Amino acid sequence: MNQITITAPDDWHLHFRDGEMLNETVPATARCFKRAIVMPNLVPPVTTKEQALAYRQRILAARPAGNDFEPLMTLYLTNDTTPEDIIAAHSSTIPAAKLYPAGATTNSDAAVEGIESLYPVFEAMSKVGMLLLIHGEVTQAEVDIFDREKAFIDSHLAAIHAKFPDLKIVFEHITTADAVDFVLSGNANLAATITPQHLLLNRNDLLAGGIRPHNYCLPVLKRSTHQQRLREVVASGSNKFFLGTDSAPHAKHTKENSCGCAGCYSAWSAIELYAQVFEDLNAIDKLEGFASHYGADFYKMPRNTSTITLLRDTWTVPENVELANGDSIVPFYAGQLLKWKLA
């Protein structure tokens, strides 16, 4: 097989950042994705519909001329979020809100402490049909970083899903067999996104032979047995798992320092990386569902009608992406050879 044509895909979880960074990140995503769920963890965070809609306009201003890419905005939940905030955002066609446990990842210091205090907000989301997107990790220092996803399931997520069975929940960027099994055991309102880095890498790729800061992300890469479980479930074609890159750009100097940022900037090669994974798994026929169908179906949005074509054509991911301000980003899989290329 030398060519693959699929329904145009969507990215159901990514970070664009803001300001000058948008002129790099928006075109990189719009080259192949028709829609994307945009994370709200800016500084300050996007906590109101007005902020979300203003951010959307900044993203659209960075969209390439003639491109119809659509950013789908989200609200950042805090302990001050009210049911009225949810109703107002939903009426402005904001499809989802994001739950970050405080301190879980980049720019999450203003996020939620005491998740049960948000139960009235979850009730409102369930009633209006707004999706809850969850970064599923506990943040207590005494919990091993490799165990924090499972601990979140046991401490919080199982209870949320049981109490609000009609609330549509996306367990984002899952990394463990425990998360796979939990999503499979849940009802039809529970789904998950999976990133290219968690399908391609395990913690050896972060730590063996020296620390590789550009493979550092949160949730952190796990052992190979968990990676294999993720690969198995996407190869199975289950419609409860779909594409979400968690593409997260950081300037090179903020990754390569004594306390580097978490995040992999995969937008430059995302769909090609997924194609490589599915081919390696002898499941290339399952790529279209994962990339183009299941996310749209779960969000109750129409599937895209256009297509993209991937060609069997080797190319090398660039070592650096230069920004207008003189900074650079090291993209995920920098310097590595890929087997598929967007036509």
Side-chain angles (χ1 to χ4, degrees):
M1 181 183 297
N2 294 315
Q3 179 173 307
I4 309 166
T5 298
I6 63 171
T7 304
D10 303 302
D11 188 344
W12 298 100
H13 178 115
L14 61 68
H15 303 261
F16 279 140
R17 310 303 183 204
D18 207 352
E20 290 186 4
M21 186 81 81
L22 294 176
N23 292 319
E24 157 58 29
T25 57
V26 175
T29 289
R31 72 186 183 94
C32 62
F33 294 111
K34 294 290 286 185
R35 295 173 291 206
I37 286 284
V38 181
M39 292 296 101
N41 57 330
L42 304 182
V43 181
V46 178
T47 59
T48 68
K49 73 168 186 178
E50 290 81 10
Q51 291 171 324
L53 296 176
Y55 185 28
R56 182 176 187 273
Q57 289 306 309
R58 298 195 297 275
I59 294 168
L60 291 175
R63 187 174 60 178
N67 187 291
D68 61 355
F69 167 78
E70 181 183 3
L72 303 171
M73 310 313 294
T74 58
L75 282 195
Y76 183 113
L77 295 176
T78 74
N79 289 107
D80 295 325
T81 304
T82 67
E84 290 73 25
D85 294 329
I86 296 302
I87 294 167
H90 185 262
S91 68
S92 300
T93 67
I94 295 171
K98 180 63 181 277
L99 172 63
Y100 290 104
T105 189
T106 302
N107 299 337
S108 63
D109 292 342
V112 174
E113 296 179 356
I115 290 173
E116 292 78 5
S117 68
L118 280 186
Y119 277 15
V121 171
F122 298 161
E123 178 69 30
M125 294 175 69
S126 180
K127 287 180 178 178
V128 301
M130 183 179 243
L131 279 74
L132 174 63
L133 316 181
I134 295 180
H135 182 118
E137 292 186 289
V138 300
T139 57
Q140 294 93 326
E142 66 271 17
V143 180
D144 190 291
I145 193 169
F146 294 105
D147 298 330
R148 290 180 178 184
E149 186 169 273
K150 183 181 187 306
F152 186 89
I153 296 169
D154 296 340
S155 300
H156 301 293
L157 186 53
I160 294 170
H161 187 46
K163 187 169 182 63
F164 304 101
D166 296 329
L167 175 62
K168 302 202 86 170
I169 298 172
V170 182
F171 193 178
E172 301 211 283
H173 46 49
I174 63 168
T175 65
T176 61
D178 308 279
V180 170
D181 294 341
F182 179 74
V183 171
L184 288 172
S185 71
N187 69 23
N189 291 322
L190 179 64
T193 56
I194 303 180
T195 75
Q197 61 264 29
H198 292 109
L199 291 169
L200 286 162
L201 306 180
N202 58 64
R203 65 190 187 183
N204 280 357
D205 299 291
L206 176 63
L207 299 170
I211 295 174
R212 299 181 175 96
H214 298 288
N215 289 344
Y216 173 54
C217 56
L218 288 173
V220 72
L221 298 171
K222 303 301 194 296
R223 64 171 66 244
S224 61
T225 52
H226 292 296
Q227 177 197 9
Q228 291 307 314
R229 186 71 180 101
L230 297 179
R231 290 167 69 91
E232 288 169 5
V233 82
V234 299
S236 76
S238 170
N239 66 359
K240 291 173 74 70
F241 303 86
F242 44 85
L243 187 156
T245 63
D246 195 20
S247 182
H250 293 283
K252 181 178 179 179
H253 70 271
T254 66
K255 293 283 288 181
E256 298 177 0
N257 66 39
S258 61
C259 189
C261 296
C264 298
Y265 182 47
S266 58
W268 262 74
S269 55
I271 194 62
E272 294 92 339
L273 288 166
Y274 283 115
Q276 190 153 312
V277 168
F278 278 82
E279 183 182 37
D280 290 345
L281 294 171
N282 294 313
I284 199 69
D285 59 311
K286 304 297 197 305
L287 174 64
E288 184 174 40
F290 176 84
S292 311
H293 294 165
Y294 305 152
D297 295 347
F298 190 77
Y299 273 77
K300 293 190 175 180
M301 294 183 180
R303 295 178 179 180
N304 297 317
T305 56
S306 59
T307 61
I308 65 165
T309 296
L310 293 161
L311 305 176
R312 188 179 293 284
D313 184 7
T314 57
W315 63 288
T316 301
V317 180
E319 296 280 359
N320 287 282
V321 177
E322 300 298 326
L323 301 177
N325 65 359
D327 287 337
S328 66
I329 303 172
V330 176
F332 181 61
Y333 248 49
Q336 298 195 54
L337 195 69
L338 298 185
K339 296 183 290 187
W340 292 96
K341 187 174 185 180
L342 185 68

